[in-house]
Structures are given as structure tokens and as C-alpha cells.
Amino acid sequence: HVQLVESGGGSVQAGGSLRLSCAVSGDTYSRYCMGWFRQAPGKEREGVATIRTDGRTSYTDAVKGRFTTGKDNAKNTLYLQMNSLKPEDTAMYYCAAGPFRLSSGGYCDIGYWGQGTQVTV
């Protein structure tokens, strides 16, 4: 059973920082590719950052150089450090997980989602 529980959202002024955390259950943490997605009102959900089981990360262009994702192995927690926040970063942020697929050049086959945490800039 996969459980993902986000925390750390809130309101911040433009230029500020927030750190989101995602508590991960069981063996999901070591077995699955994980990522962060966001959805703003009236817009489609978009991928923000992903981290593979080998530690490789990728980011959408809009957040490169400002956001960093990683794992806190001692706490089985995925985090998203968000710096230099902009009003356009305002959205509901979701933690997600799924197996890594080798086909199509390799991708995270996301199938599990957290409940989301709101970020307002």
C-alpha cells in the first residue's frame, strides 16, 4: 500500500522560499521513481520535478535553477526546496510516485498521488 503525505505549503511573498515535504510509506521510497506536480486554477496539472531511484533529477524549465528536489533517507521523505518564488508558482502541489519504465527513453510511470498542499505566492 503506497501512502504519500505532503506538508509544508503556505503563503509567501514573491522572492521568498518554501520547502515541501512528502512522507513516503513502506518500500515506495527505494523502489519507485518520485516526483512533484502542480496544478493552478483553470490549468492542467504539470510536472515540476522528478527523481529516479538512481538519484537522477529532472525539472521543468520554469523552475530550473530555483527548485531542488531530493530525498532525506533518514526520514523516508521526499522534499522540494523552492527558492525565488514567483506569483506564477501559485498552485496546488502534489507528491507522486510510480515505477520507472525503460521504454520510450525512460520515464516515471506515475500512478500514486498525495492529497496535495497549497502554495500561494
Side-chain angles (χ1 to χ4, degrees):
H1 179 60
V2 177
Q3 275 193 310
L4 307 171
V5 180
E6 302 97 333
S7 61
S11 295
V12 65
Q13 291 187 339
S17 298
L18 281 175
R19 185 179 177 99
L20 305 183
S21 295
C22 176
V24 183
S25 66
D27 63 356
T28 305
Y29 191 74
S30 59
R31 289 180 55 201
Y32 283 173
C33 182
M34 301 195 67
W36 294 94
F37 292 73
R38 66 186 180 186
Q39 188 167 20
K43 294 187 177 181
E44 293 186 355
R45 188 174 295 188
E46 65 170 346
V48 175
T50 57
I51 182 167
R52 292 168 29 169
T53 52
D54 61 5
R56 295 183 190 181
T57 57
S58 61
Y59 301 89
T60 190
D61 287 346
V63 308
K64 283 181 180 177
R66 300 189 297 122
F67 291 11
T68 303
T69 192
K71 294 180 176 180
D72 183 337
N73 293 326
K75 299 180 179 178
N76 260 32
T77 300
L78 178 72
Y79 66 83
L80 182 69
Q81 178 66 42
M82 305 184 293
N83 299 327
S84 302
L85 282 161
K86 304 175 181 180
E88 51 263 45
D89 295 318
T90 295
M92 184 71 77
Y93 282 72
Y94 298 90
C95 176
F100 182 76
R101 306 295 189 191
L102 291 175
S103 61
S104 302
Y107 66 99
C108 295
D109 187 9
I110 297 296
Y112 302 100
W113 299 88
Q115 82 287 354
T117 186
Q118 178 68 38
V119 172
T120 303
V121 183

